[in-house]
Amino acid sequence: MEIVHYRKGQVGKVKIGIGNDHAAVEMKNDVAAYLKEKGYEVVNYGTDSHDSCSYPEYGEKVGRAVAGGEVDLGVLICGTGVGISLAANKVKGVRAVVCSEPYSAKLSRQHNDTNVLAFGARVIGIEMAKMIIDEWLNAEFMGGRHQTRVDMIMAIEEKQEQ
């Protein structure tokens, strides 16, 4: 299935980077399979081990892949989604959102042009994760007054570099 690239505006498979820690191995595998079934290309940046590991490493990996254009979008999963999203948000150009229900996921894309979605394997089940993913991927950034606000958010990063 051909899908329009999120950033590039060209026809081809959208690449989604997926990252997780030890708390989310099974959910990561289920989400990756679901995305592949829907026609997305999935790049695994997460762990496949249940041994304790540090979620910031995987949040940063996916964040850098998104910001650098290696993938179009990112999906992150840890116990709650919070810690891994905080790590991703430290990468310039990333707008990661934690969602436990579909409505916020949809609006995060429409209003904030989020490029990384996070959720918790200990918070939601796989069926809710699929609903959240679908709403997030099917939503389009609305631009207009929302672009002004996204620009303001991105300007905060520029101030940090000074």
Side-chain angles (χ1 to χ4, degrees), residues 1 40 76 79 82 91 97-98 108 118 133-134 156:
M1 177 194 328
Y40 296 94
L76 294 170
V82 174
V91 177
V97 62
V98 181
S108 80
I133 289 166
D134 287 343
I156 295 169

Side-chain angles (χ1 to χ4, degrees), residues 12 27 32 72-73 78 105 111 127 138 145 147 156:
M27 184 171 276
D72 301 298
L73 298 166
C78 66
H111 293 191
E127 294 307 316
N138 291 327
R145 72 180 191 274
Q147 183 63 59
I156 295 169

Side-chain angles (χ1 to χ4, degrees), residues 34-88:
Y34 180 70
L35 290 169
K36 288 175 187 174
E37 286 171 16
K38 294 183 81 59
Y40 296 94
E41 183 178 340
V42 178
V43 181
N44 181 13
Y45 294 95
T47 184
D48 292 315
S49 170
H50 291 91
D51 294 340
S52 183
C53 61
S54 298
Y55 57 80
E57 176 183 348
Y58 304 104
E60 180 182 6
K61 282 182 183 182
V62 171
R64 290 198 185 284
V66 169
E70 190 175 310
V71 296
D72 301 298
L73 298 166
V75 173
L76 294 170
I77 316 165
C78 66
T80 64
V82 174
I84 203 165
S85 71
L86 290 171

Side-chain angles (χ1 to χ4, degrees), residues 27 31 117 119 124-134:
M27 184 171 276
V31 165
L117 173 66
F119 44 83
I124 62 170
I126 188 60
E127 294 307 316
M128 180 59 74
K130 290 175 184 179
M131 288 188 278
I132 291 167
I133 289 166
D134 287 343

